[in-house]
Amino acid sequence: MRAILDDKNLLLAEDALRIFINETSPKPIGVEEVDILDSLNRVSAEYVFSPIDLPPFSRSTVDGYAIIDSETPGEFTVIDKISIGEYKEIEIKDKEAVEVDTGSIIPENATAVIKVEETERKGDKIFVGRKVRFGENIGFIGSDIPKGFEILKPGEIIKAEKIALLASVGITKVKVFKRPKIYIITTGDELIEPGKPLQKGKIYESNSFYLYAKLKSEGYEIIGYTHVRDDKELIKEELLKGLDLADVVILTGGTSAGEKDFVHQVIRELGKIIVHGLKFKPGKPTILATVKGKPVIGLPGNIVSTVMITERVINKYLSIVAGKELTDEIKVKAILLNDAKADKNRYTYLPVYLFKKDEKYFALSIPFDSYMIGTFSVADGYIGLEPAEEHKEGEEVYVYLKRLDLRPTYIGEEEPKLLKLFSEFRKIPLGSYPALKALKYGIGDVIVISSLYDNSISGEYVYKRKILQNGNGEKIVGYHDWIGLSRMIQNSSIKLRYISLSPNFIGKATVIAPDTIISEGKEIGEEKLIIVCKDEYKSKLKTLS
Amino acid sequence: MRAILDDKNLLLAEDALRIFINETSPKPIGVEEVDILDSLNRVSAEYVFSPIDLPPFSRSTVDGYAIIDSETPGEFTVIDKISIGEYKEIEIKDKEAVEVDTGSIIPENATAVIKVEETERKGDKIFVGRKVRFGENIGFIGSDIPKGFEILKPGEIIKAEKIALLASVGITKVKVFKRPKIYIITTGDELIEPGKPLQKGKIYESNSFYLYAKLKSEGYEIIGYTHVRDDKELIKEELLKGLDLADVVILTGGTSAGEKDFVHQVIRELGKIIVHGLKFKPGKPTILATVKGKPVIGLPGNIVSTVMITERVINKYLSIVAGKELTDEIKVKAILLNDAKADKNRYTYLPVYLFKKDEKYFALSIPFDSYMIGTFSVADGYIGLEPAEEHKEGEEVYVYLKRLDLRPTYIGEEEPKLLKLFSEFRKIPLGSYPALKALKYGIGDVIVISSLYDNSISGEYVYKRKILQNGNGEKIVGYHDWIGLSRMIQNSSIKLRYISLSPNFIGKATVIAPDTIISEGKEIGEEKLIIVCKDEYKSKLKTLS
């Protein structure tokens, strides 16, 4: 049996990170010079200042005639033309003009350019009908940026626009920090490689896939990744190999404090554990350590914990090793559609579905446990709450946005026929409670509410289904408490989030579910699904029998 | 001389895009299957539904003992242990318990798990002191997501978390849209390859660098890129070559309507111009066309125009060719620190510096012309205004955020000594006007105001400099109108944005500038720079003489 990481002795992630940084003094690995075309998304290791004024000469900003402004209004003789890219050593006299393109260098002593459409030309004469201002339509040398202007700074991630600017000032190479090399070791006898048949009691390994993709997307080099059994010697061997090859080694699984948690034992034997356990949910059993002078990070075996600890904690540490500057994290403000509550001891992240209406966001917090990678990764974002923090429906929270699903939304009761009808919609079949909130806040496109939950609602269409009872035991399997039928079976023992899971429980408990989900059972009632639907989708409903 | 694209006949970008889409019916190129590890940032070409319930079995969510809840409180005999990953066919009796790990499969007929820390164990007996709920600490089969749940949809860009989810349900391969192949042709005799010496009248070529990096970062394949002289036959040859190799050809330069604008002529001869010219600033001379049934896009030669048209127009078109779903664009709301005004006929983009204070953003719009790639690419973001739209200081606008510079900010008068002292700061040496706004809104860290602009301000430190006049002509080169000295030289003919550019004008006009910028001239006055500084930076000021 495992020893327990007691919440009371744990650190908040930010404190843990500070201590880990103090102990390990992370810094960039080194510097290399690359062509600017290869510098996309690399991290600048230097200040770059413009070696030239930009533009490098005074240029015309229009197609027109370069003149001396004090002679306007008046007639001018066109003595020459300077096309874009050309250079001619011309000194104009008072009544002379030189034709120029947008971008052409202007004669040294020209003081203005008059637009071609503001002139009348006859032969080599032009007439300017108004007073022209000194400097008009000239982009003076350096008027964009002067020589010496800072165009890149250490830590900056180089984007396409900056590459354009580097090229514009003639720079072709730039010094960047070397990519940190990372070695990934996943552990756990319970894990099966995806693609192989799943055995009873085992789950598919996904940590290495996540870490590989995530760390690569951050610009780090995955120097190796491997899965090892729960075997202390094998883990030790791989850790030592990883330390040879990489700048940082990340392990997953075996990070709790028990006798079979070999990762923490191996790290303890070979090096020093600096932090063990965080006030963080999901992700408590996290290890921050050093072995042979290199940082070693132990992540929980739980995939959602690995995702969140990587995103919110480890990534910040690796950013320092990569030399990245601090960045501003964009959060969107959203109105909560339901209550949200943190663990009383731990900083808590909760996934949310988002809705956007008139540039305002609304967030539906989703019932969640830390093993729920499906729930977590189909969410649009998540909120972060301090230990014991609570928010009520209608309050504003900040949401870390992943990607907003912009499809029209089906929200409400889970009904196979309706879900099929709206198959191209975003589907949130989490019952009548969120459906009523959608109605209240004017969001959602197809809203499906059970008459058993609220029979005061009227909608465009009513879909009836029979309620069946399969079995007679005292343990009742029914809907999740968000869902309409919970009113009817308040004594249900297991409340399912998705009633499509009901058939799994037939024979093990009394299952109460609609006839569209379970085919056999005693009819115990009827449910009306009231459908409130935006006009543009009403035609679909007509195809319902 | 060029023909002019008259604003009145142009289309708004959104209308142009709609017409171009209607005429060319863009769609994805094809589908390929990739390993999920190679699917990062690729575009899903299919719906993927979970082939299994997740979790695939009912599991314990804690370390503890699986029991039958109806026997609690009471004493139980521990008959076996199921470790995580193990499977044992065990049926427990009423007073029996099986030890389980977090994640272990539970015996078929167990109805709850009691946490280890809530039990007392003596030998093979445990004592449970309270009533345990049916289903307690069990993560039921499918309680995360049920079999058939949508986990990926066509058009979705595949991120690390989704790769984790695909692995978690055992999927190893995924169908993605093929990357669009793009051929880039830059034209223009005025362009010099970066790295080579700059000749008078010419500028460095940067369009191909920008397009290469930007389109690559969007996940497109650059099948070739080349620069050609302003030669109709060469442009034709390259365009035909590009059409052979690529799905889309992008050209830059020569897109206006004049006799030397060969790009538009070549396109017109070989194919069909669908849109010529946009009500868009910067970026009017844009061409949307088809040649040999393939889309051909002509971008303005001007680099900032190429950047903006690519980002706001072309990228939307290419997204369709790439099969990408529509995404929500995140804009941040910001309070304007100065007035901002659009061109009266064209949709106008203006770069801004951003400041963040207590989760609020403030935007300083930067004086801008379309050739200013330096100004544009060091900005934190930009605002987009409808034709003739105007905003006053204090009004809220939406900002397209590029990347917020989080360094402490120096804002105000340009003074070499001060800028050197605060060399690691973000520097906005745009004069006293924005400095006063910073003071008003409580933003900025070191604020430098000229006594000539406002002598009512008191600061931590006063830095004096002499004002020199070099030359005696009637044309006066001085500060930009934002800058303090403009009060002293209201009749200045050229107002420089950066006074460090003053020396460029010595000998050509009367230059009025501080003695820290120009070394020679008649002393005509004194200026006091008043420095308002946050406490933590005051020590730096002490080093000033």
Side-chain angles (χ1 to χ4, degrees):
Chain A
M1 185 57 58
R2 296 180 184 183
I4 301 300
L5 290 169
D6 190 339
D7 281 359
K8 288 189 291 289
N9 303 325
L10 306 183
L11 294 170
L12 283 170
E14 59 194 277
D15 296 325
L17 197 56
R18 195 172 47 242
I19 291 167
F20 190 44
I21 289 169
N22 280 343
E23 286 267 343
T24 56
S25 308
K27 57 176 186 302
I29 309 303
V31 169
E32 59 187 326
E33 196 175 63
V34 296
D35 277 353
I36 56 169
L37 273 185
D38 298 322
S39 72
L40 181 68
N41 291 330
R42 296 298 301 267
V43 184
S44 174
E46 59 177 344
Y47 281 104
V48 176
F49 302 100
S50 180
I52 60 171
D53 289 322
L54 210 61
F57 49 84
S58 295
R59 68 199 282 281
S60 176
T61 60
V62 296
D63 291 344
Y65 299 94
I67 51 174
I68 291 167
D69 67 291
S70 51
E71 303 301 314
T72 56
E75 196 181 68
F76 295 81
T77 305
V78 181
I79 58 161
D80 205 340
K81 165 157 194 185
I82 305 179
S83 293
I84 184 167
E86 263 188 329
Y87 175 68
K88 289 180 183 168
E89 209 172 312
I90 299 172
E91 189 165 330
I92 52 174
K93 296 198 182 69
D94 282 354
K95 292 287 184 191
E96 290 177 349
V98 168
E99 196 181 330
V100 289
D101 295 331
T102 303
S104 290
I105 192 168
I106 55 167
E108 274 278 311
N109 68 328
T111 63
V113 176
I114 179 80
K115 280 186 190 174
V116 64
E117 60 264 42
E118 289 192 73
T119 63
E120 284 166 48
R121 182 162 180 170
K122 277 189 187 147
D124 66 347
K125 302 286 179 197
I126 56 162
F127 183 73
V128 178
R130 66 168 174 91
K131 178 80 190 107
V132 173
R133 200 170 35 78
F134 181 101
E136 198 169 326
N137 293 324
I138 296 177
F140 283 104
I141 176 172
S143 55
D144 180 7
I145 55 168
K147 185 173 167 175
F149 195 84
E150 178 194 299
I151 58 180
L152 208 55
K153 60 183 182 296
E156 186 174 340
I157 296 173
I158 302 171
K159 299 288 180 191
E161 259 180 49
K162 278 291 166 84
I163 293 175
L165 178 54
L166 289 165
S168 293
V169 301
I171 292 172
T172 57
K173 287 180 185 291
V174 63
K175 288 195 178 72
V176 297
F177 290 120
K178 288 183 175 165
R179 301 179 191 277
K181 288 195 280 288
I182 295 170
Y183 197 83
I184 301 166
I185 305 165
T186 58
T187 72
D189 288 346
E190 77 279 18
L191 303 177
I192 297 271
E193 191 185 326
K196 296 197 171 152
L198 195 57
Q199 294 156 32
K200 269 196 177 172
K202 296 194 194 291
I203 58 171
Y204 285 116
E205 196 278 302
S206 56
N207 283 321
S208 71
F209 291 85
Y210 171 74
L211 287 170
Y212 180 94
K214 174 67 180 172
L215 299 177
K216 208 173 145 187
S217 75
E218 291 289 338
Y220 311 142
E221 187 184 345
I222 313 304
I223 196 81
Y225 60 101
T226 184
H227 178 70
V228 294
R229 284 189 288 118
D230 284 326
D231 176 307
K232 207 168 148 182
E233 284 313 307
L234 288 179
I235 293 170
K236 196 179 276 184
E237 211 172 275
E238 276 300 329
L239 175 55
L240 290 171
K241 186 175 156 195
L243 287 165
D244 258 2
L245 295 170
D247 303 309
V248 180
V249 178
I250 298 179
L251 302 102
T252 73
T255 53
S256 208
E259 60 189 41
K260 269 198 67 184
D261 289 318
F262 296 126
V263 165
H264 95 93
Q265 292 174 32
V266 166
I267 294 174
R268 204 176 290 280
E269 280 174 29
L270 295 179
K272 182 184 168 193
I273 291 184
I274 294 160
V275 172
H276 195 183
L278 301 177
K279 283 185 177 168
F280 189 102
K281 188 177 181 176
K284 183 163 77 168
T286 294
I287 292 174
L288 307 176
T290 50
V291 180
K292 296 183 178 290
K294 285 185 178 175
V296 171
I297 292 158
L299 298 174
N302 196 316
I303 177 64
V304 185
S305 302
T306 281
V307 169
M308 286 311 297
I309 294 282
T310 301
E311 186 151 325
R312 310 292 329 155
V313 186
I314 303 311
N315 208 18
K316 287 178 184 164
Y317 183 85
L318 296 178
S319 286
I320 302 173
V321 182
K324 290 181 191 171
E325 66 185 346
L326 225 65
T327 55
D328 184 37
E329 191 169 23
I330 303 300
K331 291 172 283 185
V332 301
K333 224 183 237 183
I335 295 162
L336 269 176
L337 296 174
N338 52 357
D339 301 348
K341 191 176 167 181
D343 182 279
K344 69 179 191 296
N345 295 315
R346 292 191 269 158
Y347 204 100
T348 303
Y349 290 95
L350 295 172
V352 298
Y353 284 119
L354 279 176
F355 301 82
K356 196 176 182 181
K357 187 191 163 194
D358 307 333
E359 296 294 327
K360 262 197 184 140
Y361 292 93
F362 298 86
L364 178 70
S365 152
I366 317 172
F368 179 63
D369 201 338
S370 66
Y371 63 87
M372 296 180 173
I373 180 66
T375 300
F376 194 81
S377 62
V378 301
D380 298 310
Y382 53 84
I383 55 177
L385 303 177
E386 304 273 341
E389 189 177 345
E390 283 188 48
H391 288 283
K392 296 287 169 200
E393 180 211 319
E395 289 182 16
E396 278 194 328
V397 290
Y398 281 103
V399 176
Y400 299 94
L401 184 62
K402 295 195 287 189
R403 183 183 193 82
L404 184 53
D405 192 329
L406 293 176
R407 292 177 295 181
T409 301
Y410 173 109
I411 184 166
E413 296 293 337
E414 186 183 10
E415 167 47 48
K417 236 181 188 159
L418 292 175
L419 288 168
K420 200 174 165 193
L421 199 61
F422 296 101
S423 65
E424 291 180 8
F425 281 44
R426 169 162 73 148
K427 292 170 283 293
I428 307 181
L430 293 175
S432 291
Y433 180 88
L436 282 165
K437 297 303 167 191
L439 214 53
K440 175 175 170 184
Y441 289 95
I443 55 177
D445 300 272
V446 172
I447 298 172
V448 182
I449 295 161
S450 169
S451 60
L452 296 169
Y453 193 91
D454 188 330
N455 60 15
S456 72
I457 306 293
S458 61
E460 277 70 28
Y461 196 91
V462 173
Y463 181 88
K464 288 179 191 170
R465 52 188 193 182
K466 294 191 175 74
I467 303 301
L468 304 182
Q469 173 175 334
N470 186 310
N472 278 303
E474 66 181 272
K475 304 302 173 200
I476 299 174
V477 171
Y479 292 128
H480 188 275
D481 40 7
W482 270 5
I483 291 182
L485 206 63
S486 60
R487 291 286 164 92
M488 195 170 170
I489 46 163
Q490 280 171 0
N491 62 340
S492 78
S493 309
I494 303 180
K495 291 163 179 167
L496 298 177
R497 180 186 301 193
Y498 300 102
I499 53 167
S500 54
L501 293 162
S502 307
N504 285 323
F505 293 87
I506 289 176
K508 292 173 198 161
T510 300
V511 174
I512 296 181
D515 61 349
T516 50
I517 306 281
I518 59 170
S519 50
E520 290 193 21
K522 182 177 63 174
E523 189 179 329
I524 59 166
E526 193 189 59
E527 183 185 25
K528 287 179 197 145
L529 298 182
I530 299 132
I531 307 168
V532 183
C533 182
K534 281 208 180 143
D535 285 346
E536 59 252 62
Y537 309 117
K538 280 180 183 163
S539 60
K540 269 183 184 279
L541 285 171
K542 287 184 188 138
T543 67
L544 275 180
S545 60
Chain B
M1 185 58 56
R2 297 181 183 182
I4 300 300
L5 291 169
D6 190 338
D7 282 359
K8 288 189 290 289
N9 302 326
L10 306 183
L11 293 169
L12 282 170
E14 57 194 277
D15 296 326
L17 197 57
R18 196 174 44 244
I19 291 166
F20 191 43
I21 288 169
N22 280 344
E23 287 269 342
T24 58
S25 306
K27 57 176 186 301
I29 309 304
V31 170
E32 59 187 324
E33 195 175 64
V34 295
D35 277 352
I36 57 169
L37 274 186
D38 298 322
S39 71
L40 182 68
N41 292 330
R42 296 298 300 268
V43 184
S44 174
E46 58 177 345
Y47 281 104
V48 177
F49 302 100
S50 180
I52 59 171
D53 289 321
L54 209 61
F57 50 83
S58 294
R59 68 199 282 280
S60 175
T61 61
V62 296
D63 292 342
Y65 298 94
I67 53 176
I68 292 168
D69 67 291
S70 50
E71 302 302 314
T72 55
E75 195 181 67
F76 294 81
T77 304
V78 181
I79 57 160
D80 206 340
K81 163 156 195 184
I82 305 179
S83 293
I84 183 168
E86 263 189 329
Y87 175 68
K88 288 180 183 168
E89 209 172 312
I90 298 172
E91 189 165 330
I92 52 174
K93 297 200 181 71
D94 281 354
K95 292 290 183 188
E96 288 177 349
V98 168
E99 197 180 330
V100 289
D101 296 330
T102 305
S104 290
I105 192 168
I106 56 167
E108 276 276 312
N109 67 329
T111 63
V113 176
I114 178 81
K115 280 187 189 173
V116 64
E117 59 265 41
E118 288 194 72
T119 62
E120 285 167 47
R121 182 162 180 170
K122 279 189 188 145
D124 66 346
K125 303 285 181 199
I126 56 162
F127 183 73
V128 178
R130 66 168 175 90
K131 180 80 190 107
V132 173
R133 202 171 32 80
F134 182 101
E136 196 169 327
N137 293 324
I138 296 177
F140 283 104
I141 176 172
S143 54
D144 180 8
I145 54 169
K147 186 172 165 174
F149 194 85
E150 178 194 300
I151 58 181
L152 207 55
K153 60 182 182 296
E156 185 173 339
I157 296 174
I158 302 171
K159 298 289 179 189
E161 260 180 50
K162 278 289 167 85
I163 293 174
L165 178 55
L166 290 165
S168 294
V169 300
I171 291 172
T172 59
K173 286 178 186 294
V174 64
K175 289 194 179 71
V176 296
F177 289 121
K178 288 184 177 166
R179 301 179 191 278
K181 288 194 278 289
I182 296 169
Y183 196 82
I184 301 165
I185 304 165
T186 58
T187 72
D189 288 347
E190 76 279 19
L191 302 177
I192 296 272
E193 192 186 324
K196 295 196 172 153
L198 196 57
Q199 294 156 33
K200 269 194 176 173
K202 296 194 192 292
I203 58 170
Y204 285 117
E205 196 278 301
S206 57
N207 283 321
S208 70
F209 292 85
Y210 170 75
L211 287 170
Y212 180 95
K214 174 66 181 173
L215 299 176
K216 207 173 146 188
S217 76
E218 292 290 336
Y220 311 143
E221 187 184 346
I222 313 305
I223 196 81
Y225 59 102
T226 184
H227 179 70
V228 294
R229 283 188 289 118
D230 283 327
D231 176 306
K232 208 168 148 182
E233 284 314 307
L234 288 178
I235 292 170
K236 196 179 276 183
E237 211 171 274
E238 276 300 326
L239 175 54
L240 291 171
K241 186 174 155 195
L243 287 165
D244 259 1
L245 294 170
D247 303 308
V248 181
V249 178
I250 299 178
L251 302 101
T252 71
T255 54
S256 208
E259 59 189 40
K260 269 199 67 183
D261 290 317
F262 296 125
V263 165
H264 95 94
Q265 293 175 30
V266 166
I267 294 173
R268 204 176 291 278
E269 281 175 29
L270 295 178
K272 180 183 170 194
I273 290 183
I274 295 161
V275 173
H276 195 183
L278 301 176
K279 283 186 178 168
F280 190 101
K281 189 178 179 174
K284 183 163 77 168
T286 294
I287 292 174
L288 306 176
T290 49
V291 180
K292 296 180 177 292
K294 286 185 178 174
V296 171
I297 293 158
L299 298 173
N302 196 317
I303 176 64
V304 184
S305 302
T306 281
V307 169
M308 285 312 296
I309 294 282
T310 302
E311 184 151 327
R312 310 291 331 155
V313 186
I314 303 311
N315 208 19
K316 288 178 184 162
Y317 183 85
L318 295 178
S319 286
I320 302 171
V321 183
K324 289 181 192 173
E325 66 185 347
L326 223 66
T327 54
D328 184 37
E329 190 169 24
I330 302 300
K331 291 172 282 186
V332 301
K333 223 183 237 182
I335 296 162
L336 269 176
L337 295 175
N338 50 357
D339 301 348
K341 192 177 167 180
D343 182 279
K344 68 180 191 297
N345 295 315
R346 291 192 269 158
Y347 203 99
T348 303
Y349 290 94
L350 294 172
V352 297
Y353 283 119
L354 279 176
F355 301 82
K356 195 176 183 183
K357 187 191 164 191
D358 308 334
E359 296 294 328
K360 263 196 184 142
Y361 292 92
F362 298 86
L364 178 70
S365 153
I366 315 172
F368 178 65
D369 201 338
S370 66
Y371 63 86
M372 296 182 175
I373 179 66
T375 299
F376 194 80
S377 62
V378 301
D380 299 309
Y382 53 83
I383 55 177
L385 303 177
E386 304 274 342
E389 189 177 345
E390 281 189 49
H391 288 283
K392 295 287 169 200
E393 181 211 318
E395 289 182 18
E396 279 193 329
V397 289
Y398 282 103
V399 176
Y400 299 93
L401 184 63
K402 294 194 288 189
R403 183 182 194 82
L404 184 54
D405 193 328
L406 293 176
R407 292 177 296 178
T409 301
Y410 173 110
I411 183 166
E413 297 292 337
E414 187 185 10
E415 166 48 47
K417 233 180 190 161
L418 293 175
L419 288 168
K420 198 174 164 194
L421 198 62
F422 297 101
S423 64
E424 292 180 5
F425 281 44
R426 169 163 74 149
K427 291 170 284 292
I428 307 180
L430 293 175
S432 292
Y433 180 88
L436 282 165
K437 296 303 168 192
L439 212 55
K440 174 176 171 184
Y441 289 95
I443 56 178
D445 300 272
V446 172
I447 298 170
V448 182
I449 294 160
S450 169
S451 59
L452 295 169
Y453 193 90
D454 189 330
N455 60 16
S456 73
I457 306 292
S458 60
E460 278 69 28
Y461 196 91
V462 173
Y463 181 88
K464 288 178 192 169
R465 54 188 191 181
K466 294 188 176 74
I467 304 301
L468 305 183
Q469 174 174 335
N470 186 311
N472 278 302
E474 67 181 270
K475 304 302 174 202
I476 298 174
V477 170
Y479 292 127
H480 187 274
D481 39 7
W482 270 6
I483 290 183
L485 207 63
S486 60
R487 293 285 166 91
M488 196 169 168
I489 46 162
Q490 281 170 0
N491 61 340
S492 80
S493 308
I494 304 180
K495 291 163 180 168
L496 297 176
R497 180 187 301 194
Y498 300 101
I499 52 167
S500 55
L501 293 163
S502 305
N504 285 322
F505 295 86
I506 289 176
K508 293 172 197 161
T510 299
V511 174
I512 295 181
D515 60 350
T516 51
I517 305 281
I518 59 170
S519 50
E520 289 192 21
K522 183 176 64 175
E523 189 179 330
I524 58 164
E526 193 191 57
E527 183 186 27
K528 286 180 198 145
L529 299 181
I530 299 133
I531 308 168
V532 183
C533 181
K534 280 208 179 145
D535 285 346
E536 58 253 62
Y537 309 117
K538 280 180 183 164
S539 59
K540 270 183 184 281
L541 286 172
K542 288 185 188 138
T543 67
L544 276 179
S545 61

